[in-house]
Amino acid sequence: MNRTSLTLLIIGGINWGLVGIFGFDFIAWLFGGTGAILSRIVYVLVALSAIWCTTLLFKGERFVESRA
């Protein structure tokens, strides 16, 4: 689950980089526009991955503190 979430976040980050630099939304282009159901599913999965990885961030701090 962690690797899948991280992979989706990387895809989302690269996509946002493309949007910011070139104005090109790769996910929308790939799946037929920002309103296409597949694009929306990918966007939601990226958002859920961000929420999941946020919990990992705090778990990581506790793990580091307990090992020190």
Side-chain angles (χ1 to χ4, degrees):
M1 184 72 157
N2 297 344
R3 285 184 188 258
T4 303
S5 294
L6 184 58
T7 302
L8 284 169
L9 279 180
I10 290 169
I11 290 168
I14 291 170
N15 190 56
W16 275 111
L18 289 171
V19 170
I21 296 169
F22 302 111
F24 176 70
D25 188 341
F26 180 74
I27 299 299
W29 174 81
L30 189 63
F31 294 116
T34 57
I37 190 70
L38 287 176
S39 295
R40 293 178 62 122
I41 289 170
V42 172
Y43 297 145
V44 169
L45 289 175
V46 169
L48 291 173
S49 296
I51 293 167
W52 179 265
C53 286
T54 300
T55 64
L56 296 177
L57 176 68
F58 295 112
K59 287 180 185 177
E61 287 179 5
R62 280 186 277 164
F63 179 75
V64 170
E65 290 173 5
S66 66
R67 305 263 292 166

